[in-house]
Amino acid sequence: MKLLDKAMDAAIAPGFSNIGYKCRKRAWEPITESLAGRTVVVTGATSGLGKAAALDLARLGADLVLVGRNPEKTQGVQSEISSTTGNESIRLEIADLSLMAEIRELADRLLAGGPIHVLINNAGTLFNDRSVTPEGIESTLATNLLGHFLLTNLLIPRLIESAPSRIINVASGGMYSQRISISNLQNDQGEYKGSAAYARTKRGQVILTEMWADQLKGAGVGVNSMHPGWADTPGVRHSLPGFYKVTKPFLRTAAEGADTIVWLAAADEAAGRSGLFWHDRQPRPTHKTKRTRENPEKRQELWDALSELSGWSG
Ligand SMILES: NC(=O)c1ccc[n+]([C@@H]2O[C@H](COP(=O)([O-])OP(=O)(O)OC[C@H]3O[C@@H](n4cnc5c(N)ncnc54)[C@H](OP(=O)(O)O)[C@@H]3O)[C@@H](O)[C@H]2O)c1
């Protein structure tokens, strides 16, 4: 099994597809841990992987906080999950996570409440055309990296108070193709390519995961990133129609893509693990080539640039 797993990882496509999921799943135990009494915040909970993860987390008995940007859609998902699982402890919070002002208000509301045991930074989008938010930040950066950076930093004190706790950053295997670029964080140099801009933000999430894991050593907060493989979600259908058409038969379901998110949030086996990049319940390498590596100075530059852009001074 280990050899097959490694071969699929090296060949990329089979491992990312539903073939990888089906082969690896044979070695897994079902997730049966109870999350009763554990508060789990899920961003991007209204669609695709976030919704699938929220459904499973509700089944495990979590006190859920679903974060969405569209009130009607978020309420619809809350009712659907509640009626499917019988879990009535599902709150919603509305925020556009590409806007730092809304993230600060969201964090204030969350911090006015009780403990937070799990934070799942899942919201993310691939923009095929470059755009800028009303706050003047390029939209890919704002949604996929800067917003996660600010929300997580604002909530870390509560995650420490609530320890043992976990932070899960939903990255992408696309990040294997890119190194971080501090000089082009706003994707304003050269021709804008949505997939490359997206992949650089995902690379950034993996770097931040390792930095937070170092900062939080001994605090009882595990910080991990993961990639779901290729899953059939509204996001993929809308942003990558050509890719979707070709790969459709091989895409995972949203629930299959979300399996490792739920496992990292709930499984006893994942407790105490930190600073790792996971796929299909196993830690995976964060680079496939030397070309994408960054040094500690670049990491610090990334942290400083994100702090300045988001107004984070902690
Ligand atoms: N599906 C895959 O194969 C795949 C592969 C690698 C990584 N991922 C990652 O998995 C995560 C989920 O993606 P998905 O495929 O499930 O896509 P999806 O179906 O488009 O779901 C994305 C979620 O993020 C939310 N969102 C986007 N922009 C937001 C904003 N500005 N403020 C608040 N919420 C926002 C969306 O809200 P609305 O419902 O309001 O649009 C939605 O709930 C993303 O981080 C993505 O990069 C997915």
Side-chain angles (χ1 to χ4, degrees), residues 140-162:
T140 320
L141 171 67
T143 313
N144 295 358
L145 188 59
L146 193 64
H148 294 207
F149 173 81
L150 182 61
L151 181 65
T152 305
N153 278 323
L154 289 167
L155 297 184
I156 277 175
R158 180 57 51 84
L159 284 145
I160 294 174
E161 283 166 24
S162 312

Side-chain angles (χ1 to χ4, degrees), residues 44-49 69 73 95-98 122-125 143 170-172 198 202 228-231 233-236:
T46 46
S47 177
L49 303 178
R69 59 180 158 176
K73 192 172 179 184
D96 182 328
L97 298 175
S98 68
N122 163 75
T125 310
T143 313
V170 179
S172 162
Y198 168 86
K202 296 294 172 180
W230 295 326
T233 63
V236 169

